[in-house]
Amino acid sequence: MHQRTTPPTGSASPTGRRRLARKALIAAASALGVATALMTPVRAGAAPAPAAPAAATPLAANGQLSVCGRQLCNASGQPVALNGMSTHGTQWYAQCVTGGSLDALAEDWRADVLRVSTYVQEDGYETDPAGFTARAQKFVDAAHARGMYAVIDWHMLDPGDPNANLSRAKTFFTAMAKKYKNHPGVLYEIANEPSGVSWSAVKSYAEKIIPVIRAEDPDGVVLVGTRAWSSFGVSEGANESEVVNNPVRASNIMYTFHFYAASHRDEYLRTLDRASDKLPVFVTEFGTQNYAGEGANDFTMSQRYLDLMKRKKISWTNWNYSDDHRSGAVFKTGTCDGSTWTGTGVLKEAGVWIRERIRQ
């Protein structure tokens, strides 16, 4: 999976009541369009022009999400599949997450969701917990302001044992859940890519972190990483049966799966198919390239994954919404230094391809 452990080349390194409150937020968002229309003046003697109804944003249309059976469901209990993008590490590419870029993601790309990736190590959260918490909240708020959901990604990578950062994770998710406990637009991804540890160790971690979130936000969907870089164990010789036979003891959760199509072939595709027959699955990261998010794109294999996910209503976010030099970054290098975000002229080949599929 995405196993890079060095900074990107050439990049700078710096830079009850709760349910009612959630419903009120959605109602306010829906009412805003009506109020705006009512306040628009009409010239005397002119027939009012027929207003084209604005499409409801994904957040306004679907409201509070929950897990029903093996599906992600909206506030009406109907299965939904969110499609969108993941940021790169916000310690490196915060300049790619701007008002303009998120306007483009919401309006030009028509995305449903933004995954906000807070790296724990690699000059990330551990260097400035308060600063990176505030940065994550800024980007989550910006997604919400544009009617998109936000996945709060605790991007642990190396060390691969999520328990190594247990104390930090508790602090981070306490702050995030406290802020968003009354908001319907968040999902909590508690461990990006565990590796080199058993499923029982990952499960133990999840069963310590989920109560921390639930103490503040009893309704938010929690996304649990699986072992071997969230491959359900396949990258370390196992398979989904270890999760099926020993699931996390918690409700309203989903399990994550990551793939990179040029590296992860039929065995991984079959695993996703089998696992999603028995477990709720959210693909929080994938690429059309190799496991490092670079090299040639394999759009044929990628489409096979997307066809499966569409058929089974599996939500996904693609890696990544930045101008990193690697082929997996959707923007051409240098785009984030400018102000043009829409259309295909600023996109690499992978960006053109994934934008088209999000727009479908």
Side-chain angles (χ1 to χ4, degrees):
M1 306 321 192
H2 187 65
Q3 300 174 53
R4 186 185 45 44
T5 57
T6 55
T9 303
S11 69
S13 187
T15 313
R17 260 189 331 239
R18 287 170 171 153
R19 288 187 177 89
L20 289 172
R22 290 169 190 260
K23 289 178 180 177
L25 280 166
I26 294 301
S30 300
L32 180 59
V34 176
T36 302
L38 289 173
M39 294 168 62
T40 302
V42 177
R43 293 193 314 273
T57 66
L59 183 52
N62 291 294
Q64 178 64 47
L65 302 175
S66 63
V67 180
C68 51
R70 296 186 301 276
Q71 300 291 150
L72 183 65
C73 292
N74 65 17
S76 300
Q78 298 301 308
V80 294
L82 306 180
N83 300 157
M85 292 299 301
S86 175
T87 72
H88 204 313
T90 59
Q91 77 274 40
W92 297 313
Y93 288 102
Q95 71 274 19
C96 296
V97 191
T98 69
S101 75
L102 294 182
D103 285 345
L105 186 62
E107 298 166 14
D108 181 45
W109 290 51
R110 304 173 197 161
D112 306 311
V113 58
L114 175 72
R115 179 184 187 233
V116 177
S117 294
T118 300
Y119 275 67
V120 185
Q121 275 73 46
E122 301 183 56
D123 299 322
Y125 177 89
E126 68 176 358
T127 68
D128 182 7
F132 278 100
T133 299
R135 185 174 298 186
Q137 291 173 346
K138 174 184 174 182
F139 295 152
V140 169
D141 290 346
H144 290 164
R146 290 157 178 82
M148 294 186 289
Y149 289 90
V151 172
I152 299 170
D153 165 32
W154 181 244
H155 206 85
M156 52 71 54
L157 195 59
D158 183 14
D161 183 354
N163 293 286
N165 286 293
L166 178 62
S167 177
R168 293 186 178 103
K170 286 182 175 181
T171 300
F172 177 74
F173 281 110
T174 295
M176 298 305 276
K178 186 172 292 187
K179 178 173 173 62
Y180 296 109
K181 62 186 177 183
N182 290 325
H183 202 292
V186 295
L187 302 92
Y188 303 94
E189 184 177 3
I190 61 174
N192 165 55
E193 286 185 345
S195 64
V197 291
S198 66
W199 166 243
S200 62
V202 179
K203 177 176 179 285
S204 173
Y205 164 82
E207 290 173 352
K208 293 182 179 75
I209 290 296
I210 293 171
V212 170
I213 295 171
R214 292 283 180 255
E216 300 292 342
D217 184 352
D219 299 324
V221 174
V222 174
L223 308 177
V224 180
T226 58
R227 82 173 175 100
W229 298 279
S230 285
S231 70
F232 280 111
V234 179
S235 289
E236 292 174 352
N239 60 47
E240 77 286 352
S241 63
E242 62 185 13
V243 181
V244 172
N245 295 331
N246 187 23
V248 172
R249 292 172 296 182
S251 59
N252 211 30
I253 67 169
M254 307 184 82
Y255 298 92
T256 67
F257 184 80
H258 294 179
F259 70 87
Y260 284 81
S263 295
H264 303 129
R265 313 299 292 178
D266 289 87
E267 182 182 8
Y268 289 80
L269 181 63
R270 288 192 298 267
T271 298
L272 175 58
D273 193 10
R274 291 192 310 267
S276 57
D277 280 340
K278 297 181 178 179
L279 299 165
V281 178
F282 194 127
V283 174
T284 52
E285 187 178 311
F286 78 93
T288 56
Q289 315 77 28
N290 68 21
Y291 66 83
E294 57 191 7
N297 294 289
D298 188 336
F299 294 133
T300 300
M301 189 68 192
S302 300
Q303 191 61 55
R304 291 177 63 196
Y305 275 104
L306 262 64
D307 289 345
L308 172 68
M309 293 189 288
K310 182 176 182 179
R311 176 169 58 84
K312 302 186 85 169
K313 289 190 178 298
I314 298 172
S315 297
W316 52 257
T317 51
N318 176 259
W319 183 267
N320 65 79
Y321 203 61
S322 84
D323 65 353
D324 178 43
H325 72 278
R326 296 172 179 84
S327 54
V330 297
F331 292 115
K332 293 176 180 176
T333 303
T335 298
C336 297
D337 295 326
S339 58
T340 301
W341 304 100
T342 58
T344 58
V346 294
L347 301 177
K348 295 176 188 162
E349 187 181 24
V352 173
W353 190 87
I354 199 65
R355 172 182 174 272
E356 180 182 340
R357 276 141 189 85
I358 292 175
R359 284 167 59 90
Q360 289 174 353

